[in-house]
């Protein structure tokens, strides 16, 4: 029998040492924030050791990932919600142009250079290795279940029917 769709479990204060049987009372904001901070720091620290930032990786992937070359404005608009501020992605585009990993064509669309594509491939390998570290002991079924729960919680607070 499935548990009810919603419960009235009491909310306990955040406790990093909570036992498994007390996890249902723990605040999602604390644990999702802790996971975000730890995983992002781990990823960004590894990238910093090779003189690259996570936003640079986002831009390289976005320029490479569409059916057509994007404009600077498209890249900035699409990635700014992920960034630490409203000007970060525009600055990253400038950094990558300066570094020679991006170029613009006559219509001002962005393209990866050979060096940029080589960097994107190196970063993809690094990110795949880091993902394996983060996912150690977690099978795909557990991971999908966790993301479905988080996605539903976001929908619940944003008033989106699930």
């Amino acid at each position: 029998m499935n548990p009810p769709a919603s419960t009235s479990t009491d909310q306990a204060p955040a406790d990093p040492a909570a036992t498994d049987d007390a996890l249902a009372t723990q605040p999602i904001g604390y644990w999702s924030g802790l996971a975000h901070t730890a995983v992002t720091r781990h990823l960004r620290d590894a990238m910093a050791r090779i003189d690259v930032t996570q936003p640079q990786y986002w831009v390289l992937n976005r320029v490479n990932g569409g059916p057509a070359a994007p404009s600077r404005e498209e890249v900035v608009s699409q990635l700014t919600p992920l960034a630490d501020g409203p000007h970060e992605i525009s600055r990253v585009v400038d950094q990558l142009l300066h570094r020679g990993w991006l170029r613009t064509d006559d219509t001002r669309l962005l393209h990866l250079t050979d060096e940029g594509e080589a960097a994107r491939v190196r970063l993809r390998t690094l990110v795949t290795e880091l993902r394996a570290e983060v996912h150690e002991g977690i099978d795909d079924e557990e991971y999908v279940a966790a993301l479905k729960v988080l996605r539903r919680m976001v929908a619940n607070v944003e008033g989106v029917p699930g």
Side-chain angles (χ1 to χ4, degrees), residues 49-123:
R49 287 190 287 275
I50 60 170
D51 193 28
V52 179
T53 67
Q54 185 182 31
Q56 288 172 343
Y57 179 57
W58 297 336
V59 170
L60 292 172
N61 278 327
R62 174 55 196 96
V63 170
N64 180 68
S71 68
R72 174 192 200 95
E73 293 75 20
E74 289 172 317
V75 170
V76 169
S77 172
Q78 290 169 0
L79 296 178
T80 292
L82 303 173
D84 289 336
H87 307 292
E88 181 176 30
I89 300 303
S90 184
R91 290 176 185 138
V92 165
V93 170
D94 289 336
Q95 290 168 346
L96 295 176
L97 287 165
H98 176 76
R99 190 175 271 195
W101 289 2
L102 290 181
R103 66 173 180 80
T104 57
D105 63 20
D106 293 340
T107 61
R108 300 182 46 95
L109 298 179
L110 296 170
H111 301 272
L112 294 181
T113 63
D114 290 343
E115 294 84 5
E117 175 59 10
R120 189 194 65 76
V121 169
R122 281 192 313 272
L123 285 164

